[in-house]
Amino acid sequence: MAYSYSPLVLLLLLLLLPFSVSAAVATVTGHENTAPREKLTHLHFFFHGRFASPNATAVLVAVPPGTNATFNTFGAVIVLDDMLKDGPEASSKLIGRAQGLTAQASLEGTYLLMVVNFVFTAGEYNGSSLAILGRFVPDVSGTERSIVGGTGKFRMARGYTVGNVYIWTASYFVLELDAYIVHY
Ligand SMILES: *[C@@H]1O[C@H](CO)[C@@H](O)[C@H](O)[C@H]1NC(C)=O
Ligand SMILES: *[C@@H]1O[C@H](CO)[C@@H](O)[C@H](O)[C@H]1NC(C)=O
Ligand SMILES: *[C@@H]1O[C@H](CO)[C@@H](O)[C@H](O)[C@H]1NC(C)=O
């Protein structure tokens, strides 16, 4: 026996069809609405480094065998624990550390690869960190570095920093940093 629907049932099916489609659309849209929203955070702070003892914040740990120990020998590796402060003065408030390393990775000129973790230890971002990858070019302003990730409030972060030389001497330096961070 063939299935047959009464005209009333067919009419109901036709009326209900658009509702089931729109219900499915509403479900998908509703799901998108609950996804976290990205935001852009701009941070402005100062990066303080000290080459010379006492209290040096960087140490040259390796140069290729047979070469002199300088940071700009090709292959030289430095490990650093520099300071992030809210101002350019030595007495400015410490807001975090820049912990990582540089390697002189250019055969011509001094262009260091910098791999560093900005670990915030005060303020709104205390406990959060930014993973930074880029070039370190001594005493040059306008250098950009990539933000390739983050933790805490900066989970899934990406963005960039721009560094300008504020002070550069033989024993220490201060860079003014702007960080533009897209995160959730
Ligand atoms: C080194 O650190 C000590 C202890 O924080 C401080 O008293 C001293 O002034 C610092 N010296 C320099 C040259 O920064
Ligand atoms: C290391 O430095 C000394 C003193 O400046 C120099 O005489 C020597 O040639 C250098 N060695 C190398 C491999 O560059
Ligand atoms: C930063 O967070 C740590 C761990 O929660 C806490 O011990 C410390 O007091 C905080 N520092 C500041 C300056 O808020």
Side-chain angles (χ1 to χ4, degrees):
M1 184 189 131
Y3 290 103
S4 68
Y5 296 104
S6 73
L8 184 61
V9 169
L10 281 176
L11 183 63
L12 274 175
L13 280 174
L14 285 174
L15 285 174
L16 285 174
L17 193 61
F19 284 106
S20 53
V21 170
S22 61
V25 170
T27 307
V28 171
T29 312
H31 181 71
E32 278 170 1
N33 283 344
T34 60
R37 269 176 184 278
E38 280 188 337
K39 57 189 168 220
L40 175 69
T41 298
H42 171 214
L43 298 182
H44 177 249
F45 52 95
F46 293 81
F47 186 117
H48 296 238
R50 193 173 166 78
F51 310 118
S53 58
N55 309 340
T57 58
V59 60
L60 177 65
V61 293
V63 288
T67 61
N68 283 323
T70 90
F71 76 97
N72 65 353
T73 301
F74 179 64
V77 175
I78 290 169
V79 174
L80 53 95
D81 184 2
D82 290 337
M83 293 166 284
L84 304 176
K85 296 188 175 189
D86 68 357
E89 316 296 335
S91 59
S92 297
K93 185 183 168 198
L94 187 71
I95 59 162
R97 309 293 302 202
Q99 298 173 330
L101 53 87
T102 62
Q104 161 53 327
S106 175
L107 283 165
E108 288 177 18
T110 302
Y111 299 103
L112 311 181
L113 168 70
M114 181 178 225
V115 182
V116 75
N117 210 19
F118 285 176
V119 184
F120 295 96
T121 54
E124 187 184 347
Y125 299 103
N126 184 11
S128 299
S129 72
L130 290 172
I132 310 291
L133 182 66
R135 264 185 164 182
F136 185 81
V137 193
D139 204 7
V140 168
S141 283
T143 307
E144 289 188 20
R145 282 175 276 272
S146 307
I147 296 170
V148 296
T151 66
K153 290 192 171 162
F154 294 130
R155 281 179 182 169
M156 310 283 282
R158 61 193 195 284
Y160 64 99
T161 66
V162 185
N164 286 306
V165 176
Y166 196 87
I167 300 171
W168 196 280
T169 76
S171 56
Y172 74 102
F173 66 89
V174 176
L175 302 178
E176 183 175 22
L177 280 190
D178 285 287
Y180 299 90
I181 310 146
V182 175
H183 62 109
Y184 290 112

